[in-house]
């Protein structure tokens, strides 16, 4: 059974930092892509960042490039999202997702291709 569990959300001030974690179990990581998405109140869920588990190819939404960094720890089966220079518009529920059996280095930004999702963690940024 695949499980994704996010943690690390909370309240930060504008310009501050938070690090989100996604602990994954039940996955064979070699051919997976792990992604972070977010959904703000009244808005659709959007892609934030993704990483290919093997090889480490990454992809970022333009809105977070240069501020957010996605990484993974193979030994801990955990994916991280380091969020720096936070802005009020980063306020959202952040979701971890897994796209299994992605054999290429392509990191998709479409939520429909992701197979498994976590429950989400709230990130709130005050101005």
């Amino acid at each position: 059974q695949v499980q994704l569990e996010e943690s690390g959300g909370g309240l930060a001030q504008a310009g501050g930092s938070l690090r989100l974690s996604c602990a994954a179990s039940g996955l064979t990581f070699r051919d997976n892509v792990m992604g972070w998405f977010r959904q703000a109140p009244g808005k659709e869920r959007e892609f934030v960042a993704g990483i290919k588990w093997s090889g480490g190819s990454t992809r970022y939404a333009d809105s977070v490039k240069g501020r957010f960094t996605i990484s993974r720890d193979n030994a801990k089966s955990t994916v991280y999202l380091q969020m720096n220079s936070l802005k009020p518009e980063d306020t959202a529920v952040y979701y971890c997702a897994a796209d299994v059996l992605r054999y290429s280095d392509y990191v998709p930004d479409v939520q429909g291709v992701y197979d498994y999702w976590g429950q989400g963690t709230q990130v709130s940024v005050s101005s």
Side-chain angles (χ1 to χ4, degrees):
Q1 183 178 0
V2 176
Q3 287 189 323
L4 304 177
E5 185 172 356
E6 304 98 335
S7 62
L11 178 64
Q13 291 187 335
S17 299
L18 286 173
R19 188 177 79 158
L20 305 182
S21 299
C22 173
S25 60
L27 287 174
T28 301
F29 292 103
R30 170 179 286 182
D31 298 309
N32 294 339
V33 170
M34 302 299 294
W36 285 99
F37 288 75
R38 67 186 181 186
Q39 187 168 20
K43 296 187 177 181
E44 294 187 352
R45 190 177 300 185
E46 64 177 2
F47 174 80
V48 176
I51 186 167
K52 182 69 190 292
W53 199 269
S54 63
S57 299
T58 58
R59 183 175 184 175
Y60 295 92
D62 288 343
S63 59
V64 306
K65 279 182 182 177
R67 300 189 299 123
F68 291 9
T69 302
I70 189 171
S71 62
R72 85 274 196 221
D73 185 326
N74 292 9
K76 296 182 178 180
S77 301
T78 300
V79 176
Y80 303 99
L81 185 68
Q82 178 66 44
M83 306 185 295
N84 298 329
S85 302
L86 284 164
K87 304 176 180 180
E89 50 264 44
D90 294 318
T91 295
V93 177
Y94 282 71
Y95 298 90
C96 176
D99 172 24
V100 302
L101 300 179
R102 177 68 59 178
Y103 296 111
S104 70
D105 288 334
Y106 175 70
V107 177
D109 61 355
V110 178
Q111 60 175 321
V113 306
Y114 285 79
D115 305 287
Y116 300 97
W117 293 82
Q119 294 299 308
T121 185
Q122 176 71 47
V123 171
S124 299
V125 183
S126 61
S127 57

